């Protein structure tokens, strides 16, 4: 028989090495470095309660007397506060770790929301066509004429004004997620629709229809798994954009409140003290944001190049 | 001295999984005015030879050994600039797809003149005159007018003529034609081949014609080289190779070509060619799950198509009267009796596939009736009601590379219809049925754990067949099931379909553009053109005495290979009986 039966004998390593994506990954130093940095930031952010020297949300650990301390190596620095403290006496390193966690959570959730909405609408548009497609895609076109961040600010503003004031701070993070997610979906919808139209013409879709599968099942079982490649590439790059969007919203004072600061909030708070010489309050969160976004972006670029042979 | 000659050519493609040798130690030569055919199945390395000669190997391919001579001077060690001067000027090229070989944004005139002026240093007027006379020579009517047009304004056959003109315009000494007629219909194929034949003689140009099609080889070539798995297995005058080949591979290749002249019970089983994948009769159809839907062929009508009318909207308008439609199927009527194989034959665009898809419920007809199993499918309104008929009717598609969901395991692909229609009583039974089906189509049960990309084209087509059988259908629609496959694989798949049809008493609608295949497979045939059904006849009657003039025309165009290879097949049959 021509059907090979030796695949069980192959070691795990041989099979991993056989995988084109992994091969490309292990032969791209940039991608590996980016993945390492991303993994480091993600792990340390989500492990913040375990590794951060202080808990910036615990008032018992904060003392205003320790406020505005420069980093440990500067004159007047305190070795307990490696990267110095902010105006309220919170340890910068701990705050960045906790802040990074919020930034990442918002980023992931917003991209997931945008991806879910975009893929759902895009796949239905591409498969069903007709007036549904026209309406959805024109909506997407209209939304794309406005910069994403403006859409996010608009949605954010509307949602905030609808919420009762006492819930605003509590719900802020969800509002931001919703705002960024809703500003994000047209990209996903376009990509998903394009890929769906290509897939829907293929004969395996017709075979599924001849079997009798209803459109919903055809889309969920056959089309969605086959359009996810380009969508995931977009999602990786979208993650970086979502993190920036959150930082921008927070920097403008429209995002998460200063009591549970994200990287953007930290940069904003620090910005007020920049001209009084307290550069570290804004500098370190900004560096953390840049490194995180850069690493995620490089990872996204590598993924796009690997999955799209035409660009090689 | 030969015009073009290569000695011991070896082409390698280094990959990270090792070096793949696409062409191994091949020596060939072409003389002026001669057409050398290079024939072989996909992956045999025939196209690589053509690309290597003109220095257009796709990276990372490289010429690893051998020498290429053009009129006695060596060209394989030239640098890129020197090669570019030869390419197009002294060696012309014709590729398979005429649509992608022409620039869609330039008129034919611009493209021809650019090439002429690049190579021949003629002035504008002179170049234009040569371009017009070339178009005239390749048989384009009104060349003075049509030269101003863009490639999309030409039909496929006309476009390939333009490509030929483009290849000829620098007066090359050698032309390399890689599958020049594969994308064309038979009637156009015949004209193009005729044209190439004439031009070669007239201008004493040497041509290397690369093709997988034995019919093309028989029609125009003087000599043939047969490639098998990157090696040259046999070379010689066409009549000798086709009529009395020495090598076993050539014999099996020729015997696998469906014969147009007589109907055989089965295709000759070819031992030489890869993994014939013989079916193991592991299950007894009479008692197995698969046989439970079996119906005896009683001769009554299974499917009646009445005045079927399918049209596509080509230009949308809000006003109904301004919409423009294309009548893909124009009031076609026929019926298919239980247990018979009904063929539909016609050129591309004749509407035969549209009929199949309308019957399968993929298109909604604009009018007419489809009576199947006692109901008019057009009248069936609810999906649940439709499921009853869907289960009895399945379809096998043309392209084995797109008809299987690449993200599903073979087990799930074949099990999907069983699960959807609830035909098995549980997971374990479903799994067992899938394994049995895979065994039955000659794949082996271990295939269930794999993904489609791990299989070759022929094996994938077997998976498609297993999936179609998984609803226990009574009626099977086969839409060009083997036109994407090599001839040897085609023979295996057609034998499998024949066996299944007999075993399970299936009724089939068999669609093909290939008349010899139709003759081997079908009991009755309908001939289609431009959406209309011109003639329906018993297969043998159609082939012996076609009534409609278009049927006659199609039959005339059939490759005459069969007549040449009688002795080969006779020889094989003798050997068969002897063993």
């Amino acid at each position: 028989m021509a059907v090979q039966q030796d695949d069980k004998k192959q070691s795990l390593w041989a099979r991993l090495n056989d995988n084109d994506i992994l091969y490309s990954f292990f032969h791209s130093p940039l991608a590996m470095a980016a993945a390492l940095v991303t993994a480091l930031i993600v792990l340390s952010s989500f492990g913040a309660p375990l590794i951060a020297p202080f808990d910036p949300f615990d008032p018992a650990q904060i003392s205003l007397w320790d406020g505005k301390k420069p980093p440990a190596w500067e004159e007047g620095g305190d070795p307990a506060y490696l990267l110095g403290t902010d105006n309220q006496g919170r340890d910068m390193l701990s705050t960045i770790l906790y802040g990074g966690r919020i930034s990442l959570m918002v980023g992931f959730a917003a991209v997931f929301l945008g991806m879910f909405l975009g893929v759902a609408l895009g796949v239905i548009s591409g498969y069903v066509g007709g007036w549904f497609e026209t309406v959805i895609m024109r909506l997407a076109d209209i939304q794309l004429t406005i910069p994403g961040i403006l859409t996010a600010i608009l949605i954010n503003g509307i949602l905030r004004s609808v919420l009762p004031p006492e819930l605003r701070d509590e719900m802020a993070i969800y509002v931001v997620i919703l705002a960024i997610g809703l500003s994000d979906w047209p990209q996903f919808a376009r990509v998903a629709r394009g890929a769906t139209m290509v897939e829907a013409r293929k004969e395996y879709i017709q075979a599924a229809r001849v079997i009798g599968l209803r459109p919903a099942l055809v889309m969920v079982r056959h089309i969605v798994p086959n359009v996810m490649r380009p969508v995931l590439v977009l999602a990786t790059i979208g993650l970086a954009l979502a993190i920036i969007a959150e930082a921008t919203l927070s920097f403008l004072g429209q995002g998460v409140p200063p009591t549970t600061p994200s990287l953007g909030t930290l940069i904003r708070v620090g910005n007020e003290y920049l001209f009084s010489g307290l550069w570290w309050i804004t500098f370190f969160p900004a560096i953390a944001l840049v490194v995180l976004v850069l690493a995620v972006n490089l990872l996204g670029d590598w993924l796009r190049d690997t999955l799209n042979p035409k660009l090689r | 001295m030969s015009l073009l000659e290569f000695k011991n050519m070896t082409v390698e493609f280094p990959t990270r999984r090792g070096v793949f040798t696409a062409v191994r130690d091949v020596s060939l030569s072409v003389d002026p005015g001669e057409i050398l055919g290079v024939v072989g199945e996909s992956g045999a390395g025939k196209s690589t030879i053509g690309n290597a000669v003109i220095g257009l190997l796709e990276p990372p391919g490289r010429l690893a050994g051998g020498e290429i001579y053009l009129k006695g001077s060596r060209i394989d060690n030239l640098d890129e600039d020197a090669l570019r001067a030869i390419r197009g000027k002294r060696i012309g090229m014709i590729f398979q797809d005429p649509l992608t070989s022409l620039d869609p944004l330039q008129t034919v005139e611009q493209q021809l003149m650019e090439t002429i002026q690049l190579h021949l240093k003629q002035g504008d007027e002179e170049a234009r005159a040569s371009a017009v006379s070339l178009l005239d020579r390749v048989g384009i009517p009104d060349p003075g007018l049509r030269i101003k047009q863009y490639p999309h304004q030409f039909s496929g056959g006309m476009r390939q003529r333009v490509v030929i003109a483009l290849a000829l315009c620098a007066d090359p000494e050698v032309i390399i034609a890689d599958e020049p007629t594969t994308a064309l219909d038979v009637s156009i194929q015949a004209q193009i081949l005729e044209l190439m034949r004439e031009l070669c003689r007239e201008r004493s140009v040497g041509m290397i014609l690369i093709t997988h099609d034995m019919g093309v080889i028989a029609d125009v070539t003087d000599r043939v080289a047969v490639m098998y798995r990157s090696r040259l297995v046999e070379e010689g005058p066409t009549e000798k190779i086709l009529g009395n080949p020495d090598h076993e591979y050539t014999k099996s290749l020729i015997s696998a070509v469906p014969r147009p002249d007589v109907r055989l019970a089965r295709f000759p089983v070819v031992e030489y060619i890869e993994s014939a994948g013989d079916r193991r009769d592991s299950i007894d159809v009479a008692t197995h799950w698969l046989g439970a839907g079996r119906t005896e062929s009683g001769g009554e009508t299974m499917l009646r198509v009445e005045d079927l009318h399918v049209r596509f909207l080509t230009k949308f308008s809000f006003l109904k009267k301004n919409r423009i439609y294309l009548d893909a199927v124009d009031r076609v009527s026929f019926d298919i009796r239980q247990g018979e194989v009904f063929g539909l034959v016609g050129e591309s665009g004749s509407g035969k596939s549209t009929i199949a898809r309308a019957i399968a419920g993929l298109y909604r007809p604009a009018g007419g009736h489809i009576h199947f199993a006692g109901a008019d499918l057009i009248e069936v309104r609810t999906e649940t009601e439709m499921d009853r008929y869907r289960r009895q009717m399945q379809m096998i598609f043309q392209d084995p590379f797109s008809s299987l969901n690449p993200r599903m395991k073979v087990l799930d692909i074949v099990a999907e219809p069983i699960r959807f229609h609830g035909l098995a009583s549980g997971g374990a039974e479903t799994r067992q049925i899938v394994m049995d089906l895979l065994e039955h189509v000659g794949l082996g049960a271990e295939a269930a754990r794999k993904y489609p990309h791990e299989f070759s084209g022929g094996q994938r087509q077997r998976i498609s067949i297993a999936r179609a059988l998984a609803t226990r259908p009574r009626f099977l629609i086969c839409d060009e099931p083997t036109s994407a496959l090599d001839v040897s694989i085609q023979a295996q798949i057609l034998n499998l379909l024949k066996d299944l049809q007999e075993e399970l008493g299936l009724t089939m609608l068999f669609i093909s553009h290939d008349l010899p295949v139709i003759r081997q497979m079908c009991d009755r045939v309908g001939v289609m053109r431009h959406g209309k059904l011109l003639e329906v006849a018993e297969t043998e009657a159609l082939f012996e005495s076609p009534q409609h003039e278009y049927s006659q025309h199609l039959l005339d165009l059939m490759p005459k290979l069969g007549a040449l290879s009688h002795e080969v097949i006779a020889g094989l049959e003798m050997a068969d009986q002897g063993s």
Side-chain angles (χ1 to χ4, degrees):
Chain A
M1 286 299 292
V3 183
Q4 295 92 14
Q5 293 174 318
D6 54 2
D7 59 347
K8 271 178 294 178
K9 290 174 207 145
Q10 282 180 350
S11 68
L12 180 67
W13 173 247
R15 264 187 289 141
L16 284 182
N17 199 36
D18 211 42
N19 182 308
D20 285 322
I21 295 173
L22 284 177
Y23 178 87
S24 148
F25 180 74
F26 285 119
H27 284 75
S28 162
L30 200 63
M32 281 198 289
L36 193 71
V37 171
T38 313
L40 214 65
I41 295 177
V42 169
L43 284 179
S44 55
S45 302
F46 284 92
L50 298 175
I51 56 170
F54 296 93
D55 181 354
F57 303 139
D58 180 4
Q61 293 186 25
I62 302 170
S63 142
L64 271 176
W65 289 111
D66 288 333
K68 305 181 183 177
K69 285 209 169 179
W73 58 87
E74 293 263 311
E75 207 185 349
D78 185 335
Y81 305 113
L82 186 62
L83 300 180
T85 59
D86 71 357
N87 57 323
Q88 299 176 39
R90 294 187 291 205
D91 174 44
M92 282 313 297
L93 180 62
S94 311
T95 327
I96 288 172
L97 289 177
Y98 277 91
R101 186 166 68 158
I102 290 172
S103 288
L104 279 168
M105 257 162 31
V106 172
F108 275 117
V111 164
F112 186 79
L113 178 68
M115 184 167 83
F116 183 80
L117 256 180
V119 169
L121 292 173
V123 167
I124 298 174
S125 296
Y127 188 70
V128 177
W131 63 265
F132 184 86
E133 181 186 21
T134 314
V135 170
I136 293 296
M137 294 327 286
R138 285 307 83 76
L139 268 179
D141 288 345
I142 292 168
Q143 196 174 325
L144 281 174
T145 59
I146 308 164
I149 190 70
L150 287 186
T151 321
I153 290 173
L154 181 72
I155 299 171
N156 197 40
I158 295 171
L159 287 175
R160 274 168 166 260
S161 59
V162 173
L163 279 176
E166 64 274 15
L167 281 177
R168 258 177 216 164
D169 274 4
E170 219 173 297
M171 301 293 285
I173 190 165
Y174 303 105
V175 170
V176 171
I177 290 171
L178 204 62
I180 299 175
L182 287 179
S183 73
D184 222 15
W185 72 270
Q187 313 265 8
F188 288 102
R190 280 194 165 184
V191 168
R193 169 175 165 270
T196 301
M197 289 167 79
V198 171
E199 293 301 317
R201 266 199 295 272
K202 292 191 178 165
E203 287 175 344
Y204 71 89
I205 299 298
Q206 297 178 6
R209 290 174 57 201
V210 171
I211 289 168
L213 299 195
R214 307 293 184 263
L217 209 51
V218 172
M219 284 188 266
V220 170
R221 202 182 285 174
H222 291 281
I223 291 182
V224 169
N226 283 295
V227 302
M228 283 318 275
R229 262 190 174 207
V231 168
L232 285 177
V233 172
L234 193 64
T236 321
I237 296 167
L239 176 62
L241 291 175
I243 291 169
I244 292 182
E246 184 277 326
T248 313
L249 281 178
S250 297
F251 183 80
L252 295 174
Q254 300 292 307
V256 292
T259 45
T260 52
S262 72
L263 291 177
T265 323
L266 289 177
I267 295 169
R268 173 170 65 98
V269 172
N271 195 39
E272 291 163 16
Y273 295 93
L274 196 56
F275 290 107
S276 19
L278 306 178
W279 54 271
W280 59 89
I281 304 183
T282 199
F283 181 74
F284 292 115
I287 287 294
L289 181 68
V290 167
V291 170
L292 172 63
V293 168
L294 186 67
V296 173
N297 249 335
L298 287 174
L299 213 54
D301 279 353
W302 163 79
L303 196 64
R304 182 192 59 198
D305 293 350
T306 311
L307 294 184
N308 187 353
K310 278 182 200 156
L311 284 177
R312 253 186 259 172
Chain B
M1 185 177 61
S2 311
L3 187 54
L4 179 74
E5 183 174 19
F6 36 92
K7 292 180 183 158
N8 309 104
M9 183 202 274
T10 298
V11 179
E12 289 178 347
F13 286 82
T15 70
R16 57 177 239 249
R17 298 191 177 88
V19 175
F20 169 70
T21 309
V23 178
R24 199 185 293 268
D25 203 19
V26 171
S27 303
L28 284 172
S29 65
V30 199
D31 290 322
E34 180 186 52
I35 298 185
L36 168 71
V38 178
V39 73
E41 299 187 285
S42 49
K46 51 193 194 310
S47 285
T48 312
I49 290 185
N51 292 341
V53 169
I54 51 178
L56 283 181
L57 283 174
E58 267 179 44
R62 57 161 196 249
L63 198 63
E67 292 149 17
I68 306 172
Y69 295 93
L70 181 62
K71 277 203 167 158
S73 56
R74 195 165 165 187
I75 60 167
D76 58 284
N77 51 5
L78 296 179
D79 61 19
E80 181 58 24
D81 282 339
L83 259 179
R84 202 178 300 129
I86 292 178
R87 214 184 284 150
K89 168 88 185 75
R90 297 181 63 195
I91 304 180
M93 289 157 284
I94 301 170
F95 293 110
Q96 173 172 353
D97 185 357
L99 193 56
T100 50
S101 338
L102 295 171
D103 184 343
L105 295 180
Q106 290 197 338
T107 62
V108 167
E109 179 179 40
Q110 285 168 326
Q111 301 183 48
L112 281 170
M113 279 178 58
E114 185 189 1
T115 317
I116 293 173
Q117 291 182 323
L118 181 69
H119 293 297
L120 298 184
K121 310 276 176 281
Q122 291 180 345
D124 278 3
E125 280 314 304
E126 202 185 345
R128 185 168 294 120
S130 335
V132 171
S133 76
L134 262 173
L135 284 188
D136 188 36
R137 182 61 201 88
V138 295
I140 291 182
D142 288 329
L145 272 170
R146 302 217 64 183
I147 197 167
K148 303 278 184 205
Q149 293 183 335
Y150 288 90
H152 72 264
Q153 292 167 297
F154 288 79
S155 68
M158 285 295 158
R159 232 179 263 145
Q160 195 61 306
R161 284 170 196 266
V162 174
V163 173
I164 292 174
L166 209 53
L168 283 175
C169 62
D171 251 329
E173 296 151 52
V174 182
I175 290 180
I176 294 169
D178 192 352
E179 304 273 6
T181 56
T182 308
L184 304 174
D185 278 329
V186 263
S187 55
I188 295 153
Q189 164 170 319
Q191 298 163 12
I192 296 285
L193 290 176
E194 173 76 7
L195 173 69
M196 296 195 336
R197 167 82 279 176
E198 277 172 30
L199 289 170
C200 278
R201 290 247 166 84
E202 175 185 303
R203 301 177 173 230
S204 45
V205 171
M207 177 180 283
I208 298 182
L209 177 70
I210 296 159
T211 181
H212 69 282
D213 188 336
M214 280 297 192
V216 170
I217 291 288
D219 270 2
V220 290
T221 60
D222 301 299
R223 280 190 306 127
V224 193
V226 184
M227 297 278 300
Y228 175 62
R229 299 216 174 145
S230 76
R231 285 173 205 277
L232 180 66
V233 295
E234 194 169 6
E235 191 231 327
T238 304
E239 297 210 354
K240 153 86 173 65
I241 298 282
L242 294 187
N244 185 20
D246 294 325
H247 198 276
E248 284 302 314
Y249 174 70
T250 319
K251 286 182 192 169
S252 44
L253 191 61
I254 292 172
S255 66
V257 178
R259 297 185 59 179
D261 53 337
V262 62
R263 179 168 181 162
L264 305 170
R266 283 176 69 84
F267 289 87
V269 176
V270 172
E271 299 295 339
Y272 197 86
I273 301 165
E274 75 161 272
S275 65
D278 266 335
R279 289 154 17 83
R280 304 169 212 167
D281 288 320
S282 53
I283 56 172
D284 180 11
V285 172
T287 56
H288 190 263
W289 175 90
L290 185 59
R294 188 191 153 91
T295 41
E296 295 307 319
S297 46
E300 65 263 44
T301 305
M302 161 85 72
L303 177 91
R304 166 170 289 144
V305 174
E306 251 178 87
D307 283 329
L308 186 67
H309 183 203
V310 184
R311 60 181 187 177
F312 297 118
L313 189 64
T314 52
K315 193 166 180 296
F316 178 78
S317 163
F318 279 107
L319 290 175
K320 267 200 168 154
K321 67 178 166 70
N322 287 350
R323 291 180 193 170
I324 299 172
Y325 294 96
L326 171 80
D327 289 316
V329 176
D330 196 359
R331 292 176 183 84
V332 164
S333 305
F334 60 89
D335 41 75
I336 302 179
R337 293 192 283 267
Q338 200 156 13
E340 87 171 337
V341 181
F342 185 84
L344 274 181
V345 72
E347 297 186 289
S348 53
S350 61
K352 52 193 193 307
S353 283
T354 311
I355 290 187
R357 283 170 163 69
I359 293 172
L362 292 172
Y363 296 148
R364 186 138 201 93
H369 303 279
I370 300 169
H371 297 284
F372 177 74
D376 185 352
L377 298 187
I378 309 287
E379 302 291 319
V380 176
R381 287 282 171 239
T382 69
E383 292 274 343
T384 340
E385 203 182 328
M386 193 66 189
D387 282 342
R388 271 176 46 208
Y389 306 106
R390 282 201 185 105
R391 213 181 62 215
Q392 303 180 42
M393 180 195 290
Q394 279 300 304
M395 185 155 173
I396 295 166
F397 294 88
Q398 173 176 3
D399 180 9
F401 294 94
S402 79
S403 60
L404 304 172
N405 185 343
R407 306 250 159 207
M408 279 166 83
K409 284 197 169 140
V410 171
L411 172 70
D412 295 315
I413 290 174
V414 180
E416 185 162 50
I418 305 176
R419 289 177 185 147
F420 179 77
H421 290 290
L423 297 176
S425 53
E429 195 193 349
T430 307
R431 193 178 305 264
Q432 188 55 47
I433 293 169
V434 172
M435 305 264 190
D436 289 349
L437 277 170
L438 289 171
E439 288 273 333
H440 204 61
V441 297
L443 270 179
E446 62 271 28
R449 286 195 314 270
K450 305 193 173 198
Y451 285 94
H453 70 89
E454 298 173 65
F455 297 93
S456 69
Q459 290 170 328
R460 285 167 181 233
Q461 209 58 318
R462 288 173 193 267
I463 298 172
S464 283
I465 293 173
R467 171 180 58 193
L469 292 180
T471 64
R472 276 186 304 206
R474 298 161 67 204
F475 180 57
L476 201 56
I477 302 170
C478 304
D479 186 8
E480 303 261 14
T482 58
S483 62
L485 304 175
D486 280 328
V487 273
S488 58
I489 310 294
Q490 164 170 291
Q492 295 171 12
I493 297 292
L494 293 179
N495 273 342
L496 173 65
L497 285 173
K498 275 190 168 195
D499 291 347
L500 290 170
Q501 193 252 337
E502 262 166 44
E503 260 172 31
L504 302 170
L506 291 173
T507 310
M508 279 199 211
L509 173 61
F510 191 95
I511 289 162
S512 180
H513 67 282
D514 189 336
L515 280 164
V517 168
I518 289 278
R519 182 163 204 173
Q520 300 304 322
M521 294 299 294
C522 303
D523 301 314
R524 286 192 307 139
V525 195
V527 180
M528 289 203 65
R529 186 176 59 170
H530 302 328
K532 288 197 163 61
L533 187 63
L534 302 178
E535 178 178 1
V536 176
E538 301 283 326
T539 308
E540 289 307 302
L542 180 86
F543 277 76
E544 297 309 328
S545 59
Q547 299 301 305
H548 199 280
E549 61 178 305
Y550 179 70
S551 318
Q552 176 67 53
H553 173 67
L554 276 184
L555 288 174
D556 288 344
L557 293 168
M558 221 161 45
K560 305 298 177 285
L561 167 71
L564 265 171
S565 59
H566 275 187
E567 297 112 83
V568 182
I569 290 167
L572 277 177
E573 278 163 2
M574 297 271 281
D576 242 18
Q577 286 158 6
S579 60

